[in-house]
Amino acid sequence: MPLVSAKVLLEHAQANGYAVPAFNCHDLVDFQAIIAAAETEGAPVIIMASESTIDFAGFSYIEGLAYAGAKEAKIPFALHLDHGRDLDNVVKSVQHGFTSVMFDGSNLSFEENIRLTAWVADIAHRVGMSVEGELGQIPGTEDDITVSEQEAGMTDPDLVADFVERTGVDALAVAIGTAHGLYKGEPKLDFPRLTAIRKATSVPLVLHGGTGVPDDTVRRAIELGICKLNVGTELRVAYTSSVSRALVDREFRDPRPLLSIARTAIAGVVQDKIRLCGASGRAKAISW
Ligand code: G3H
Ligand code: ZN
């Protein structure tokens, strides 16, 4: 069964110096594009559904798409709840066969973030799911969650060891200068901070806000310990702009050719990110 825990993928990435690309998905078109591109590249990937995707599509449809994909996929992938803030959604992700969950307690106090993340880790680990926590706050808008520059705070390396030890997370999302959504200028990542975080813990580190981060910056972040790169906006833009362009060019009376154009556009972005992460060809070395 190619549907595996994200922990398996992230540990392989960490041991081999690359990152697993993680993509936000919404529907069949995204799922097929991501899995097809990953197969072309022979790469492991993580498919993520955010809470607003769950609002849009429902847990059962996302579960159905993932398990349908898993019947045929020739590469290992994980199904991940992204930025879970509602504990009800976290529990439902367990019930619906997700293999990974992020509890985003970054808007809470340090102690409350630890308390709830540890609770999530306890229930998720019982069924073999891996757990991602977040320390520090990433600015920008991720679906329905908006964090202003003022609210945002970078991850404090001095809190990392305590957070990881007391929560039992398998991966940690860090705030080191990226933001959700489209950047107004070039993002400047705080690499000394990333280095200090890497020294403070051995769990795989996660970079959110992957859209629009220059390639060299992503490569450097991976060298310094990032093992998972989250990309959402770039796929949504590929989807909507390819459809918009096609509709300007001609009239469609059948959605299938139109959605095929979108699928090809999304797969192109996915393939580029897989290569950027150094994940091409890695699937064969992972047991699943
Ligand atoms: O959790 C999802 C990612 O952080 C996506 O960020 O939309 O800026 O690529 P992005
Ligand atoms: Zn994110």
Side-chain angles (χ1 to χ4, degrees):
M1 175 73 152
L3 193 45
V4 298
S5 150
K7 184 176 158 76
V8 171
L9 305 182
L10 296 180
E11 283 178 352
H12 187 265
Q14 189 170 36
N16 292 281
Y18 68 98
V20 182
F23 301 104
N24 289 103
C25 73
H26 313 92
D27 65 7
L28 170 74
V29 175
D30 286 320
F31 264 90
Q32 289 187 329
I34 295 166
I35 291 176
E39 284 180 337
T40 304
E41 289 295 319
V45 286
I46 297 172
I47 301 184
M48 309 191 291
S50 64
E51 290 188 322
S52 63
T53 289
I54 297 300
D55 289 344
F56 168 73
F59 269 108
S60 295
Y61 278 97
I62 295 297
E63 175 187 10
L65 288 169
Y67 282 79
K71 275 189 187 167
E72 316 225 327
K74 294 171 190 64
I75 44 90
F77 71 95
L79 178 63
H80 174 83
L81 180 68
D82 190 31
H83 290 285
R85 284 193 169 179
D86 180 340
L87 291 176
D88 196 38
N89 280 334
V90 169
V91 171
K92 284 190 178 130
S93 75
V94 176
Q95 293 165 335
H96 284 272
F98 280 51
T99 59
S100 177
V101 58
M102 174 187 189
F103 179 69
D104 178 351
S106 62
N107 57 328
L108 306 172
S109 69
F110 181 63
E111 285 301 325
E112 196 60 359
N113 190 1
I114 287 183
R115 189 177 75 79
L116 293 180
T117 306
W119 184 85
V120 170
D122 181 35
I123 60 159
H125 285 157
R126 290 173 197 223
V127 293
M129 287 168 82
S130 62
V131 176
E132 177 181 328
E134 179 172 331
L135 191 56
Q137 263 201 298
I138 298 155
T141 300
E142 168 70 26
D143 290 339
D144 292 340
I145 303 175
T146 297
V147 177
S148 69
E149 297 283 346
Q150 287 74 24
E151 290 169 313
M154 291 211 190
T155 305
D156 180 348
D158 290 340
L159 299 177
V160 166
D162 195 27
F163 183 83
V164 170
E165 193 182 321
R166 289 168 62 199
T167 56
V169 290
D170 306 293
L172 181 68
V174 292
I176 55 165
T178 55
H180 289 126
L182 297 170
Y183 293 96
K184 292 189 190 85
E186 191 178 304
K188 295 269 175 283
L189 271 63
D190 187 340
F191 289 131
R193 184 179 298 271
L194 176 57
T195 304
I197 295 168
R198 175 71 299 159
K199 281 198 185 122
T201 184
S202 61
V203 296
L205 303 177
V206 181
L207 190 66
H208 283 245
T211 293
V213 181
D215 288 1
D216 284 349
T217 306
V218 170
R219 284 191 202 100
R220 184 73 186 130
I222 294 170
E223 278 169 14
L224 294 177
I226 292 297
C227 301
K228 173 174 177 263
L229 177 73
N230 281 22
V231 181
T233 305
E234 215 164 321
L235 264 61
R236 289 193 283 277
V237 171
Y239 197 148
T240 50
S241 61
S242 61
V243 166
S244 306
R245 272 196 309 273
L247 287 169
V248 168
D249 289 346
R250 68 180 169 105
E251 190 179 350
F252 286 81
R253 294 183 186 278
D254 179 343
R256 289 169 293 184
L258 184 61
L259 294 177
S260 300
I261 290 169
R263 195 166 52 191
T264 304
I266 296 163
V269 175
V270 170
Q271 235 176 307
D272 288 350
K273 296 298 175 194
I274 287 172
R275 290 179 188 175
L276 175 61
C277 285
S280 302
R282 304 288 188 171
K284 58 182 181 301
I286 301 169
S287 344
W288 47 276

